[in-house]
Amino acid sequence: MHHNSKIALVCGYGDLGKATAKKLSEDGYSVAVVSRNSISESGYSFFKCDITDSQMARQAVNDVIEKFGHINAFIYTATSEIQRKNILDLSVEDIRKDFE
């Protein structure tokens, strides 16, 4: 179906993911978005996935490959919510959560 197209997989669809998907689309890529939150923008293929679940993440990548035949670019834009604290007030758990 899309075997001659440039396919980009954008992981995460916050502000950074939205801007990245838009730019890739403008540059001629068919864009697949993996996110735990549903999206309604037309022009992108959406795959619901919580990337902290490794089996779900593998399945989402396989689903994208099944639909498009390949992936040319993978862009990881998923981030956790930024802690609005003084860094000295962050607990080890706060820091661990950000990196996970």
Side-chain angles (χ1 to χ4, degrees), residues 39-57:
I39 65 168
S40 59
E41 285 82 359
S42 61
Y44 307 139
S45 295
F46 172 72
F47 298 84
K48 189 169 181 73
C49 175
D50 179 349
I51 61 163
T52 64
D53 180 325
S54 62
Q55 285 184 317
M56 190 180 272

Side-chain angles (χ1 to χ4, degrees), residues 1-15:
M1 176 178 176
H2 297 273
H3 293 286
N4 294 324
S5 301
K6 297 187 298 184
I7 308 302
L9 173 55
V10 176
C11 183
Y13 201 67
D15 292 339

Side-chain angles (χ1 to χ4, degrees), residues 80-100:
S80 63
E81 291 194 25
I82 296 172
Q83 298 283 335
R84 301 286 183 202
K85 296 181 183 177
N86 182 312
I87 194 164
L88 298 176
D89 294 332
L90 292 173
S91 69
V92 170
E93 186 59 32
D94 290 335
I95 295 167
R96 182 177 292 123
K97 182 180 175 188
D98 282 347
F99 280 99
E100 288 177 349

